[in-house]
């Protein structure tokens, strides 16, 4: 799997623009196998998560657990 950063933008209740970041998992054929949107609003931390997943060659079956551990 290759993991990459997802960036989403939306308008919050006050009319301001807000960005959130998530992670996408792509297989060796370039097909997106999983996406998790809106995990965190801190881009450097989200980039760190993506880098850790790639460096450790994380298997997709562990992604949800890694995200949960990352947040708590």
């Amino acid at each position: 799997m290759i993991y990459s950063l997802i960036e989403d933008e939306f308008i919050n209740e006050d009319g301001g623009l807000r960005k959130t970041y998530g992670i996408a998992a792509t297989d060796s054929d370039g097909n997106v196998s999983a996406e998790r949107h809106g995990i965190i609003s801190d881009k450097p931390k989200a980039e760190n998560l993506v880098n850790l997943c790639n460096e450790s060659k994380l298997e997709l079956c562990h992604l949800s657990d890694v995200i949960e551990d990352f947040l708590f």
Side-chain angles (χ1 to χ4, degrees):
M1 285 290 129
I2 297 173
Y3 296 92
S4 58
L5 187 68
I6 299 172
E7 182 176 309
D8 293 307
E9 295 182 342
F10 63 93
I11 306 296
N12 65 20
E13 301 160 351
D14 300 328
L17 183 64
R18 181 163 183 225
K19 291 184 180 184
T20 60
Y21 303 93
I23 189 169
T26 307
D27 66 20
S28 59
D29 294 327
N31 301 312
V32 176
S33 300
E35 293 180 327
R36 301 293 187 271
H37 292 265
I39 296 171
I40 193 168
S41 59
D42 185 324
K43 187 174 182 178
K45 286 184 180 180
E47 290 172 331
N48 185 43
L49 173 63
V50 169
N51 290 336
L52 289 171
C53 290
N54 284 321
E55 289 170 4
S56 66
K57 299 181 185 329
L58 183 72
E59 292 184 34
L60 184 58
C61 63
H62 299 296
L63 181 59
S64 293
D65 291 332
V66 167
I67 291 170
E68 184 177 333
D69 290 345
F70 179 76
L71 294 174
F72 301 104

